[in-house]
Amino acid sequence: MKKFYLLYQTLIDGLAIFGTAVVLVVGGLQVWFRYMTDASLIWSEEVMRYVMLWLVMICAGRAYSARQFLGMRGLVELLPRPAVRAIDLASGVVTIVFLGVIAYYGADFAWRTRLQTASTLNVSLFWIHLAICVGPILLAVHVLVEEVLGFKLTPPSEETSS
Amino acid sequence: MSWLAGFFVVTLLAGMPIAFVLGVSALGYFYFTDQTQFLLVLPQRMVAGMDHFVLLAIPLFVLAGNIMDVGGLTRRLVGAANSVVGRFRGGLSLTAIWGAFLFGGVSGSAAADAAALGTVLVPDMKRQGYDVDYSAALIAVSSLMAPLVPPSIAMIIYGALSGTSISQLFIAGIVPGVLLACVLSIYAVWTAHRHGYPRTEALPLRRILRGFGEAAPILLLPVIIVGGIRGGIFTATEAAAIAAIYALLVSGLVYRALNWTFLRQAFVSTALITSAIYVLVAVANILAFIFAIERVPQMVVETLTTITDNPVLILLMVNLILLVLGMFLDTIGVLILTVPALTAIGQTLGLDPVHLGVMVIFNVLIGFVTPPVGLCLFIISAVTGRPVEKVSIRALPMLGLALCVLLLITFVPQVVLAVPNLIGGAH
Amino acid sequence: DPVSLRLGHAVFEAHPNHDTAARFKEAVERISGGDVTIDIYPARQLGDVKELMEGVQFGTVDMTVNSATALATLEPSINAFQLPGVIPDYAGFAELAVSDEARAIMDTLDKHGMIALGLYDGGQRHFLTVGEPVEEFAQMKGKKTRVPPAKLFVDIWQAVGVNPTPMNYGEVYSALETSTLDAVEINLTSIESEKFYEVAGGVTLTGHYFWPSFLLINKARFDGLTEEQQAAIREAANEIVEPQVMAVAELDETVKANLADREIPVIEPSASFMEDFNAAVAPVIESYSQDPLIADFVAAASASGAQ
Ligand code: NA
Ligand code: NA
């Protein structure tokens, strides 16, 4: 199980590095081509936007476990330990319901927009909008494991990476 | 609306992450008001919220900051600032303020500023006999300068939401940033005299020049950013990509401080921070839809203008509403929820959009250091290991000073607009 | 039962598309005797162009006045309305907007769950330059020109020979001011509302195409209304076409007068300029006319004595 999680984490990190690098390089090329040549890039904006959309959705669950989603913890933490656990459990369940609704309607949304094509890339928007189904599912799995099942997925050393 | 408010308060108090607080509240609202036909709007609005070109500035500026951090930039900036202001009583606290100012010229976010400077400076200040809570509070409040001095993620988002020129906003933030730094400096010197905080030895000019020489490649960045935008080479959003590429080149080629482990850490951390911000932006965009169908912006404008037609009072109330929202929500959340109403108010009062923008941003920045949800307070308390409440209390007088600067820029638009008018020629 | 419909659009209230919405509201409420009422949500309150179009498709927004080109990714024949030089002038626009050929193209949206009630205008487009205004066709060559990021516009402007540069609309003003861009193709009312005159070196009245918009309604919503309500909506949508289009023409004259007051040169291109321009874009029109619906519309436009 632990091995599987490490594999998953390595994969997500790899995609994170790749996606960020693509946005960086394409952003640089966009400036270069417009300023230095007579042929501005037409597709660069759209590529950056869509890569970023997929990137943040793929990383959302991992970001949750890296404690990047902040809340107002002051009051809750004053309560005794078991009460905190119960509240977090309830919050977790409600959150998973929300994410489930987004994933379900996200799939519906992606399907209903399949006939639209991106304006400069020859891609159906289905493939772009699918991200809003995948991201919430990954997030829900992380919330399930951490708040409902009670496992902490990220070593404390990584918690203050911001 | 009462369903929305009810869910919001309960989930917020329960300590749920803000992004989920907003999402669950929206879902509860649609379900209990029998508007489930709108559930399909939820993913659509989320995608629309995230699919903005200007938002790409977030990962790119965060990346630039991360690379510079692992590249040893913060130390050099602090060294440069200290070589000038260290000689005065309470010198290290002045270094914190002006280090934050310089760092703000590189970083687009107050959070990055607080984390970087807190790590570097608080241990030094403690060693010199500074009160740790005071040091932490000072750095937290100083970090507010990062989004005022260009580049600024908050300004990019405001510009995107309201259609205000981002490059004009960038330039307009400089004077309020300097003002905040000056006011904090006076307070720091006064505190230092009261508590007998030490000064460091005065350095000879040669050493000062050397310190600035070492930091020069970094200090050049804001010049490159503003110069590149004004010179027509890149747009304000694209400046983020240039900043990140420049950071890579400087850290790698000039300081030779990059290796694979550092880079990997910088890139992954960038993706994770950005991911959390994007999810928040996405969910806040659902709330914006609810506010639109409930006609909240119109209600706010009507209510305000019924209470009074005195523009001064209206502006004061706007400030108050923003400050209260800023206590509970983070910058981007506040901006997405309020910008429609604010632009309407601005049009009613005939305010300059750039002036309004800087005023709004200053307001939401203050939210970074107000409990219960103050991002910079959280970060600085995590970095220093001090309780949030203790740091908050020491931050109160400085917050009061920041509020004075806010009032000044609210009622004297020329403080904000003089520089953009001088450089830009427009407006 | 009386029915109330939500109409969202993506522009500020000074824009011709808002005028379309306001005229439709007035007309339908009058014709139906208050049986059909319209709530207008301006300025992207219910979403931007793409979300509004999807919203009408899904039924989460009842109606919208939305840029026609945004729907061309669903139905390519819609590109007919923006082929350069095909619609000659505002009067011709008003006439062609209610033609059978235009109706045939609009009806393709039925299968996407939307009804296009009518075709209106957002303003004829011209060529604004930061430097000296363009007086000869050859001067357009290589100018970094902001064009909306869609295949049709890229095809047209590459054929003209400018350097088509997509850019976020919100950044265009700064980009013109700092000469990141050399030019923008834009309608006259936007020059006024976006204050582009502050950074303009001149405007050449190329009038290359119009900026048509549809008044759209969700099909299921429409089919669920009574026959009287449907008739009132149809009648109102038709009635406002000509006055709306001609009102834009009038607005353009006001803007031209304002530009003259500000001493910004406004150039009427010579006949040879437009001949060169049309020759350059002819292959684009030809290639898009492979779509029979587009070919029919182009034929109807030239038959109406247009070209
Ligand atoms: Na900054
Ligand atoms: Na706060």
Side-chain angles (χ1 to χ4, degrees):
Chain A
M1 198 58 206
K2 186 159 184 212
K3 215 170 169 185
F4 175 78
Y5 182 70
L6 284 178
L7 193 72
Y8 161 81
Q9 188 164 307
T10 312
L11 175 71
I12 300 289
D13 287 5
L15 290 171
I17 295 169
F18 173 74
T20 313
V22 168
V23 171
L24 181 67
V25 169
V26 174
L29 287 178
Q30 175 171 308
V31 174
W32 175 271
F33 271 86
R34 191 185 54 232
Y35 193 67
M36 303 299 284
T37 78
D38 287 336
S40 306
L41 296 183
I42 307 288
W43 45 266
S44 50
E45 262 202 43
E46 216 165 32
V47 167
M48 290 165 81
R49 286 190 350 244
Y50 292 156
V51 167
M52 205 59 218
L53 180 67
W54 265 102
L55 172 68
V56 296
M57 287 291 99
I58 284 175
C59 290
R62 170 105 167 71
Y64 179 80
S65 290
R67 309 284 169 268
Q68 295 292 342
F69 284 66
L70 294 172
M72 196 178 100
R73 299 296 297 176
L75 271 176
V76 181
E77 300 290 350
L78 296 176
L79 299 172
R81 214 52 226 146
V84 178
R85 180 76 186 90
I87 290 175
D88 285 350
L89 182 71
S91 301
V93 171
V94 180
T95 303
I96 290 168
V97 171
F98 164 67
L99 293 171
V101 169
I102 300 296
Y104 175 82
Y105 285 99
D108 189 18
F109 170 61
W111 178 247
R112 287 183 192 229
T113 52
R114 69 193 180 282
L115 296 177
Q116 284 187 67
T117 30
S119 32
T120 64
L121 310 165
N122 194 18
V123 182
S124 158
L125 287 193
F126 172 79
W127 297 110
I128 311 300
H129 292 163
L130 196 60
I132 198 62
C133 176
V134 173
I137 290 176
L138 289 175
L139 249 177
V141 170
H142 278 259
V143 175
L144 178 79
V145 173
E146 300 227 7
E147 310 304 334
V148 180
L149 305 180
F151 293 110
K152 293 294 160 214
L153 285 176
T154 305
S157 63
E158 227 182 280
E159 285 184 12
T160 50
S161 58
S162 66
Chain B
M1 281 310 278
S2 48
W3 281 110
L4 186 72
F7 270 97
F8 179 82
V9 171
V10 171
T11 51
L12 184 76
L13 293 179
M16 264 168 71
I18 304 294
F20 298 152
V21 166
L22 298 180
V24 168
S25 307
L27 186 62
Y29 162 83
F30 284 120
Y31 185 79
F32 287 103
T33 54
D34 247 344
Q35 302 188 83
T36 43
Q37 80 273 19
F38 284 132
L39 290 183
L40 189 55
V41 175
L42 271 56
Q44 185 203 27
R45 293 294 291 198
M46 291 176 76
V47 169
M50 294 186 280
D51 187 16
H52 274 300
F53 180 67
V54 288
L55 290 181
L56 292 166
I58 297 174
L60 294 169
F61 276 133
V62 171
L63 180 65
N66 280 343
I67 291 169
M68 296 222 161
D69 212 18
V70 297
L73 140 99
T74 324
R75 277 243 155 253
R76 287 187 173 85
L77 277 181
V78 166
N82 197 41
S83 67
V84 177
V85 292
R87 67 190 63 201
F88 304 107
R89 183 160 297 283
L92 206 48
S93 48
L94 291 175
T95 301
I97 295 164
W98 291 95
F101 184 84
L102 294 180
F103 195 84
V106 177
S107 134
S109 92
D113 209 353
L117 289 166
T119 320
V120 172
L121 274 168
V122 173
D124 280 358
M125 294 177 83
K126 194 174 171 185
R127 218 170 297 125
Q128 288 202 7
Y130 284 81
D131 180 85
V132 182
D133 294 334
Y134 167 74
S135 314
L138 186 69
I139 288 171
V141 179
S142 300
S143 67
L144 303 188
M145 285 181 286
L148 286 173
V149 181
S152 159
I153 290 171
M155 284 179 176
I156 288 174
I157 291 172
Y158 182 86
L161 290 171
S162 65
T164 312
S165 156
I166 297 168
S167 66
Q168 295 268 339
L169 284 170
F170 270 15
I171 297 162
I174 295 173
V175 170
V178 174
L179 275 177
L180 184 59
C182 291
V183 172
L184 287 176
S185 297
I186 295 168
Y187 177 74
V189 170
W190 179 74
T191 311
H193 276 98
R194 232 170 44 136
H195 295 280
Y197 289 146
R199 63 185 93 201
T200 49
E201 59 185 301
L203 295 176
L205 185 63
R206 195 171 41 81
R207 291 276 303 279
I208 296 178
L209 289 179
R210 208 179 67 194
F212 272 86
E214 271 188 21
I218 312 150
L219 292 172
L220 259 180
L221 186 59
V223 179
I224 291 175
I225 287 176
V226 174
I229 295 173
R230 302 303 308 171
I233 301 172
F234 41 76
T235 67
T237 315
E238 291 166 341
I242 302 303
I245 291 168
Y246 182 78
L248 268 175
L249 293 177
V250 169
S251 309
L253 300 178
V254 181
Y255 296 140
R256 305 202 168 269
L258 290 184
N259 60 43
W260 172 239
T261 318
F262 282 160
L263 270 182
R264 183 195 148 96
Q265 191 193 329
F267 274 73
V268 171
S269 151
T270 299
L272 298 186
I273 293 171
T274 312
S275 182
I277 299 177
Y278 262 62
V279 171
L280 187 65
V281 168
V283 183
N285 204 37
I286 299 176
L287 266 278
F289 178 76
I290 297 179
F291 283 15
I293 55 177
E294 293 275 347
R295 302 238 184 223
V296 172
Q298 289 87 336
M299 261 163 42
V300 173
V301 176
E302 268 171 37
T303 316
L304 284 182
T305 44
T306 332
I307 296 175
T308 173
D309 53 4
N310 180 342
V312 173
L313 286 180
I314 293 180
L315 280 180
L316 278 176
M317 285 192 285
V318 167
N319 279 331
L320 194 68
I321 293 172
L322 286 169
L323 286 172
V324 172
L325 282 176
M327 287 173 72
F328 298 103
L329 294 171
D330 93 319
T331 325
I332 298 165
V334 176
L335 289 179
I336 291 178
L337 297 184
T338 58
V339 164
L342 291 170
T343 6
I345 291 173
Q347 278 169 355
T348 315
L349 297 183
L351 292 181
D352 184 287
V354 174
H355 174 227
L356 179 68
V358 173
M359 188 191 101
V360 170
I361 285 161
F362 204 107
N363 260 306
V364 290
L365 286 184
I366 290 178
F368 272 126
V369 287
T370 53
V373 184
L375 187 60
C376 289
L377 282 180
F378 287 157
I379 289 170
I380 206 78
S381 78
V383 168
T384 58
R386 299 293 302 163
V388 176
E389 310 86 71
K390 295 259 160 68
V391 180
S392 311
I393 291 171
R394 297 308 300 267
L396 276 181
M398 302 174 217
L399 269 182
L401 293 171
L403 284 175
C404 294
V405 177
L406 173 62
L407 286 178
L408 180 71
I409 63 172
T410 302
F411 296 113
V412 190
Q414 274 314 306
V415 174
V416 176
L417 294 176
V419 179
N421 284 347
L422 199 70
I423 304 183
H427 287 277
Chain C
D1 290 354
V3 62
S4 172
L5 299 169
R6 274 201 183 107
L7 186 157
H9 66 66
V11 297
F12 288 108
E13 299 190 7
H15 192 278
N17 285 2
H18 178 74
D19 184 46
T20 304
R23 280 172 194 273
F24 175 72
K25 176 183 162 72
E26 186 278 322
V28 78
E29 289 177 358
R30 168 168 45 75
I31 294 169
S32 71
D35 196 28
V36 179
T37 49
I38 306 292
D39 285 323
I40 301 177
Y41 291 76
R44 289 181 296 181
Q45 285 178 12
L46 298 186
D48 212 335
V49 172
K50 174 174 173 289
E51 292 92 70
L52 286 167
M53 159 188 121
E54 291 166 355
V56 171
Q57 224 181 326
F58 305 160
T60 51
V61 177
D62 298 322
M63 301 188 74
T64 183
V65 179
N66 216 349
S67 154
T69 337
L71 287 92
T73 69
L74 274 181
E75 283 299 331
S77 60
I78 291 170
N79 283 321
F81 303 134
Q82 277 190 302
L83 289 175
V86 167
I87 300 178
D89 50 25
Y90 282 104
F93 187 109
E95 191 184 318
L96 288 164
V98 293
S99 65
D100 293 342
E101 289 77 9
R103 179 40 63 196
I105 292 172
M106 289 193 262
D107 285 346
T108 58
L109 291 172
D110 284 15
K111 61 171 172 288
H112 299 286
M114 297 180 269
I115 295 174
L117 293 166
L119 187 68
Y120 311 88
D121 186 44
Q124 197 174 15
R125 309 282 274 200
H126 303 285
F127 199 75
L128 180 149
T129 45
V130 177
E132 297 284 298
V134 170
E135 303 204 39
E136 281 165 52
F137 180 69
Q139 292 171 336
M140 293 178 102
K141 283 262 174 309
K143 285 223 176 342
K144 270 179 257 176
T145 307
R146 191 267 173 177
V147 303
K151 187 173 178 299
L152 174 67
F153 303 118
V154 174
D155 288 348
I156 292 172
W157 291 100
Q158 272 173 347
V160 171
V162 304
N163 173 2
T165 305
M167 184 172 288
N168 189 318
Y169 193 59
E171 289 188 296
V172 172
Y173 179 96
S174 315
L176 291 170
E177 190 193 5
T178 58
S179 299
T180 311
L181 289 173
D182 302 320
V184 60
E185 64 86 23
I186 193 78
N187 51 317
L188 292 174
T189 51
S190 292
I191 295 178
E192 194 78 13
S193 60
E194 309 284 323
K195 301 196 183 148
F196 286 159
Y197 55 80
E198 292 177 342
V199 290
V203 180
T204 306
L205 298 175
T206 45
H208 37 269
Y209 41 66
F210 288 79
W211 202 259
S213 60
F214 290 131
L215 176 63
L216 295 167
I217 186 167
N218 174 263
K219 190 166 185 307
R221 190 87 168 101
F222 186 79
D223 291 343
L225 302 175
T226 66
E227 268 177 39
E228 292 77 27
Q229 289 167 336
Q230 293 184 356
I233 289 175
R234 292 269 190 205
E235 193 188 330
N238 274 330
E239 179 192 295
I240 63 168
V241 172
E242 216 225 312
Q244 190 276 338
V245 173
M246 296 321 287
V248 187
E250 225 167 278
L251 270 179
D252 276 5
E253 293 310 314
T254 322
V255 177
K256 282 182 203 166
N258 290 348
L259 287 174
D261 286 348
R262 297 194 175 96
E263 294 180 355
I264 292 167
V266 177
I267 306 294
E268 194 71 59
S270 65
S272 74
F273 184 130
M274 289 320 290
E275 264 166 40
D276 290 347
F277 189 100
N278 290 329
V281 297
V284 178
I285 298 177
E286 198 174 316
S287 117
Y288 278 80
S289 294
Q290 283 165 9
D291 184 318
L293 288 174
I294 296 184
D296 288 351
F297 183 80
V298 172
S302 40
S304 76
Q307 288 184 315

